[in-house]
């Protein structure tokens, strides 16, 4: 999501300061990642630099003095062009889940990773330091060996196990979103944004189910050796 265009959209209603823009963003897009204040002010500075927004005085409103920003004619033109621009459907075929499945197959097919070198057992002396006056008597004839744990084995890649775990994480998130949209007093913006996320997560789930059923074939294609 384009932060610069979202801020231009919020400025379309009139001059506003960064604090209010951040608050309105989080209200209008409740399921989106909240904007950081630093990101808001950095973006506003870039909009001013590019002639898409300008400073419109200051406003204290009983609190600290804040700089007001408003959109320019060029900013309104930029916003209108962006809002009318068709978003490419699924512009990228790959995604992180698919990439992890393929990489897990490659890792599982490769040579078995070996753990790091085992540590040399430590031997603790039982000699009495007080007897060190006589060098001959200070020698410890029988040091006590202390076992040192072996290095942890490198976990094996397992694409099937990964898909099961990822599916569980998706289902947990879907339950959270369902609770959000069905909560008493949920507004339409919240319901619609939750529905959008739920439909995408559901598509992911169906893809994972299909992929899990075809792992044998996919493995043969990814690692024909």
């Amino acid at each position: 999501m384009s932060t610069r265009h979202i801020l231009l959209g919020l400025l379309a209603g009139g001059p506003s300061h960064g604090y209010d823009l951040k608050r309105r963003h989080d209200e209008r897009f409740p399921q989106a990642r909240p904007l950081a204040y630093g990101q808001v002010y950095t973006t506003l500075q870039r909009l001013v630099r590019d002639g898409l927004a300008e400073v419109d005085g200051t406003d204290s409103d009983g609190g600290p003095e804040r700089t007001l920003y408003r959109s320019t004619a060029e900013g309104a033109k930029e916003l209108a062009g962006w809002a009318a621009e068709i978003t490419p459907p699924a512009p990228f075929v790959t995604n992180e889940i698919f990439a992890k499945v393929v990489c897990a197959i490659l890792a599982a097919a490769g040579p078995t990773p070996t753990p790091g070198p085992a540590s040399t057992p430590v031997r603790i002396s039982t000699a009495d330091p007080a007897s060190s006056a006589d060098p001959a008597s200070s020698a410890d004839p029988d040091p006590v060996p202390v076992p040192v744990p072996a290095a942890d084995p490198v976990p094996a890649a397992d694409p099937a196990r990964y898909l099961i775990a990822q599916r569980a994480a998706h289902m947990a998130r879907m339950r959270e979103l369902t609770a959000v949209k069905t909560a008493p007093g949920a507004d339409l913006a919240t319901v619609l944004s939750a529905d959008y996320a739920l439909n995408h997560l559901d598509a992911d789930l169906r893809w994972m189910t299909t992929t899990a059923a075809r792992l044998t074939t996919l493995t043969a294609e990814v690692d024909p050796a």
Side-chain angles (χ1 to χ4, degrees):
M1 189 161 59
S2 172
T3 302
R4 63 191 270 119
H5 292 105
I6 295 300
L7 292 185
L8 282 174
L10 294 173
L11 286 173
S16 187
H17 51 72
Y19 178 85
D20 188 51
L21 289 170
K22 184 263 191 301
R23 178 186 59 80
R24 288 164 58 201
H25 169 275
D26 295 349
E27 289 177 352
R28 297 290 185 274
F29 307 99
Q31 299 306 314
R33 184 188 300 274
L35 280 182
Y37 287 108
Q39 184 180 6
V40 172
Y41 286 105
T42 298
T43 304
L44 284 170
Q45 291 169 6
R46 290 173 179 168
L47 290 174
V48 171
R49 178 199 65 190
D50 297 339
L52 304 178
E54 61 186 10
V55 174
D56 191 47
T58 58
D59 175 29
S60 62
D61 194 23
E65 188 175 88
R66 298 189 178 100
T67 301
L68 288 169
Y69 296 86
R70 70 180 182 87
S71 177
T72 63
E74 283 300 313
K77 181 180 178 181
E78 171 77 12
L79 175 63
W82 175 78
E85 185 178 283
I86 301 299
T87 301
F92 303 107
V93 175
T94 189
N95 60 63
E96 185 173 350
I97 298 175
F98 178 63
K100 286 184 176 181
V101 169
V102 171
C103 289
I105 291 173
L106 292 171
T112 302
T114 56
S119 301
T120 303
V122 177
R123 302 181 75 84
I124 304 299
S125 174
T126 58
D128 184 359
S131 64
S132 59
D134 181 1
S137 64
S138 64
D140 185 4
D142 187 23
V144 179
V146 178
V148 176
D152 293 334
V154 178
D158 187 340
R161 183 177 298 176
Y162 163 70
L163 284 172
I164 291 172
Q166 187 64 59
R167 180 182 176 85
H170 267 56
M171 294 182 70
R173 179 56 178 156
M174 290 178 76
R175 286 191 291 270
E176 292 174 357
L177 289 169
T178 299
V180 167
K181 64 174 286 188
T182 58
D187 57 23
L188 183 57
T190 297
V191 172
L192 290 176
S193 60
D195 279 340
Y196 183 88
L198 282 166
N199 278 284
H200 281 72
L201 290 170
D202 182 63
D204 281 351
L205 280 179
R206 288 184 276 112
W207 179 87
M208 283 187 275
T209 299
T210 301
T211 301
R214 298 175 176 175
L215 270 181
T216 300
T217 303
L218 180 61
T219 300
E221 291 182 359
V222 172
D223 184 54

